[in-house]
Amino acid sequence: MRAFEAAARLGSFTAAAESLNVTQGAVSRQIKELEGVIGRPLFRRSGPRLFLTEQGRAFADQLAEIFADLQQAFWNVQGYEETATVTISTLPSVATRWLAARLSEFDRDFPDVDLKVLASRDLADFRTGSIDGAIRFGQGNWPEVEAEYIGGETVCPVCTPGFVAEHNLNYPEDLLQVRLFHSDMEEGWQGWFHHASVVPPPSLRGPQLGDDAATMQAVLNGQGVALGRTLLVADDLADGKLVQPFPVSLPISFGYWFVTEKPSRDDPHLMAVRSWLIERIRNTLEGEIG
């Protein structure tokens, strides 16, 4: 049962074997024996991926609670106080450009919670059981999850003060003469120029680095101008490291959402962390830095 619970939680026989310090074959054999005793399959495979059956999911959920109670009982008899771990998945850019700067504040507000951040551009997969919640950037139309809207986003040109002076950026059309960093957002430079009443050429050249954090680091190094998302550039604008050469912001179709599995778990630690993150993100989007 311990082998099955680990495989269900981690979504892999190999990962379960590593966590239990046994071989992958041992985990596979133990689960096969367990399925023989129960008389029905607990997992199904689809190509290389491993999924729990309906009965397997129900069994895994009950076992997870039982093992957690056993662990807590062990800690209690030793006199340890429980420290909760809340695992949040988010984009690398949000983790690097926004969340990292607020970890001291988080530790102050949640002294008994260890925050674990999984930074990935892939959508959080709650079926693995390794993620408690996620901050997603999109339109909120994801299946099989509960998504709470946090706030909308806008983009505006950002660069260093030195870049403005070096390239004499006095009017929006001056941006057509400098390096422009591009992103994979639907609303890009073409949309911004039209929003600023400038008719751009049909094709705008410039690099696309594939990650907003990398793009903003290049901009901070004085390499060009990018359309910065409010959440990702607010701190640097407040510190004066970046400036908006022109106060023209373009609303975009994507926003921020806090996502949990469906149905959402009634976990007090997760609920408290969710409220904290939502409040801080909204404050940043509304111009309150900190």
Side-chain angles (χ1 to χ4, degrees):
M1 286 189 287
R2 175 64 80 179
F4 165 70
E5 187 276 333
R9 172 166 43 86
L10 300 172
S12 163
F13 287 178
T14 301
E18 292 176 354
S19 71
L20 298 174
N21 198 28
V22 298
T23 65
Q24 190 268 352
V27 169
S28 179
R29 183 172 60 256
Q30 291 178 39
I31 292 175
K32 185 176 181 180
E33 292 175 358
L34 180 61
E35 290 177 326
V37 173
I38 293 175
R40 60 182 60 190
L42 299 172
F43 289 101
R44 61 179 177 84
R45 289 190 177 276
S46 178
R49 302 194 63 181
L50 187 69
F51 299 96
L52 285 162
T53 63
E54 182 178 352
Q55 294 83 4
R57 169 54 64 191
F59 190 34
D61 290 343
Q62 294 180 59
L63 283 180
E65 294 179 7
I66 291 170
F67 287 134
D69 289 343
L70 285 173
Q71 181 67 74
Q72 187 61 53
F74 182 74
W75 286 335
N76 289 343
V77 77
Q78 286 188 312
Y80 289 171
E81 293 184 2
E82 179 184 8
T83 298
T85 298
V86 175
T87 303
I88 301 297
S89 170
T90 188
L91 288 169
S93 56
V94 174
T96 303
R97 304 283 306 162
W98 184 83
L99 185 53
R102 290 159 176 80
L103 291 180
S104 295
E105 182 185 359
F106 182 91
D107 289 341
R108 183 196 67 203
D109 293 345
F110 297 96
D112 298 325
V113 176
D114 287 333
L115 181 65
K116 182 178 180 181
V117 178
L118 301 180
S120 173
R121 289 178 63 87
D122 296 330
L123 292 181
D125 187 354
F126 292 98
R127 293 171 299 184
T128 66
S130 61
I131 297 172
D132 299 309
I135 302 169
R136 287 186 180 174
F137 185 58
Q139 296 178 319
N141 52 352
W142 303 287
E144 301 179 358
V145 296
E146 293 185 2
E148 180 177 352
Y149 184 65
I150 301 176
E153 183 60 287
T154 60
V155 294
C156 63
V158 292
C159 59
T160 62
F163 193 89
V164 173
E166 179 183 357
H167 295 275
N168 297 315
L169 300 181
N170 299 308
Y171 304 99
E173 51 265 34
D174 293 339
L175 292 176
L176 295 172
Q177 308 304 317
V178 300
R179 178 186 288 119
L180 301 178
F181 286 96
H182 295 263
S183 71
D184 55 5
M185 291 185 298
E186 181 178 344
E187 300 89 352
W189 279 110
Q190 291 282 349
W192 184 86
F193 276 117
H194 286 292
H195 193 65
S197 300
V198 175
V199 179
S203 177
L204 291 169
R205 296 187 59 191
Q208 181 173 333
L209 301 185
D211 178 74
D212 286 310
T215 298
M216 297 317 305
Q217 187 57 55
V219 171
L220 284 165
N221 291 340
Q223 299 297 308
V225 185
L227 286 175
R229 295 183 357 225
T230 300
L231 191 71
L232 307 185
V233 301
D235 292 340
D236 286 327
L237 288 174
D239 292 341
K241 297 177 181 178
L242 295 177
V243 295
Q244 296 176 237
F246 312 106
V248 180
S249 295
L250 174 67
I252 62 176
S253 58
F254 280 16
Y256 297 97
W257 304 73
F258 195 93
V259 179
T260 52
E261 63 182 336
K262 187 176 184 178
S264 180
R265 290 184 291 115
D266 188 19
D267 183 326
H269 296 295
L270 174 59
M271 296 302 101
V273 171
R274 178 176 69 176
S275 297
W276 188 92
L277 288 169
I278 289 175
E279 179 185 2
R280 297 310 187 279
I281 292 175
R282 285 175 177 167
N283 288 345
T284 303
L285 294 175
E286 293 168 4
E288 301 175 23
I289 309 302

